[in-house]
């Protein structure tokens, strides 16, 4: 299966989660592309995969990261044609809207006809060793749910 893992990371937290996800997928012999959102030229690139993981941090009071805004605007214009996505990100529980950008992204994907497999994965700050099992479980569940789409 060809899988894309795209992420936005300011402090490296979401990138670290993306690295663990990509590593787990490669360990399961999937063909994986790992890309920072800053290198994505067009949102249509997200549709070139059997399953697309999107990771981002939440900025301020529940906003998308600045480096994702152009891609988000493009997604608003796309027909995602039942494309399966898995969503993950990092945040800070001291904010009232912990990882709220993930909820906004899920709504947007579904409004545009895409499918979000499973619940978004939320990790506080940088993933700790004890978070790795949760991340691997998230990957496994996404793969199982993708198979049922």
């Amino acid at each position: 299966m060809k899988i894309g893992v795209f992420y936005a990371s300011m402090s490296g937290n979401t990138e670290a989660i993306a690295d663990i996800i990509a590593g787990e997928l490669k360990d399961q012999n999937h063909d994986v592309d790992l890309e920072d959102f800053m290198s994505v030229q067009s949102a249509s690139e997200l549709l070139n995969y059997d399953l697309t993981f999107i990771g981002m941090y939440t900025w301020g009071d529940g906003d998308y990261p600045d480096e994702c805004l152009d891609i988000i605007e493009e997604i608003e214009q796309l027909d995602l044609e039942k494309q399966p996505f898995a969503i993950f990100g990092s945040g800070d529980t001291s904010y009232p809207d912990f990882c709220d950008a993930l909820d906004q992204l899920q709504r947007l994907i579904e409004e545009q006809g895409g499918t979000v497999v499973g619940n978004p994965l939320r990790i506080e700050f940088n993933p700790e060793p004890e978070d790795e099992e949760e991340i691997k479980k998230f990957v496994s569940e996404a793969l199982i749910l993708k198979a049922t789409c």
Side-chain angles (χ1 to χ4, degrees):
M1 186 174 350
K2 185 154 178 65
I3 300 175
V5 180
F6 297 87
Y7 66 90
S9 190
M10 179 185 290
S11 61
N13 296 342
T14 305
E15 180 178 8
I17 300 167
D19 288 341
I20 295 168
I21 289 170
E24 180 66 13
L25 290 165
K26 288 175 183 175
D27 287 349
Q28 294 185 27
N29 297 314
H30 294 287
D31 180 9
V32 180
D33 290 337
L34 176 64
E35 299 282 339
D36 185 318
F37 263 112
M38 297 297 284
S39 67
V40 175
Q41 301 297 311
S42 167
S44 62
E45 291 177 42
L46 305 176
L47 306 179
N48 294 333
Y49 300 92
D50 299 308
L51 175 61
T52 304
F53 285 79
I54 297 179
M56 64 178 62
Y57 60 94
T58 297
W59 182 250
D61 293 321
D63 299 321
Y64 291 122
D66 284 347
E67 61 266 38
C68 294
L69 294 178
D70 290 342
I71 298 296
I72 294 297
E73 286 179 15
E74 286 184 46
I75 291 173
E76 290 171 349
Q77 307 304 316
L78 286 177
D79 177 358
L80 298 179
E81 307 169 18
K82 299 190 188 317
Q83 173 75 26
F85 293 89
I87 300 172
F88 65 96
S90 61
D92 181 345
T93 56
S94 70
Y95 284 89
D97 297 317
F98 175 61
C99 289
D100 194 50
L102 304 180
D103 296 328
Q104 292 178 54
L105 180 60
Q106 180 172 359
R107 283 190 297 273
L108 173 60
I109 287 170
E110 291 171 347
E111 287 168 2
Q112 297 308 114
T115 301
V116 175
V117 295
N119 293 317
L121 173 69
R122 294 167 168 80
I123 301 290
E124 183 164 23
F125 302 124
N126 197 51
E128 299 293 330
E130 59 269 16
D131 294 320
E132 285 193 36
E133 282 309 310
E134 182 180 358
I135 295 168
K136 289 177 180 182
K137 182 180 174 194
F138 168 74
V139 169
S140 294
E141 288 176 355
L143 292 170
I144 289 167
L145 291 170
K146 192 293 184 203
T148 64
C149 289

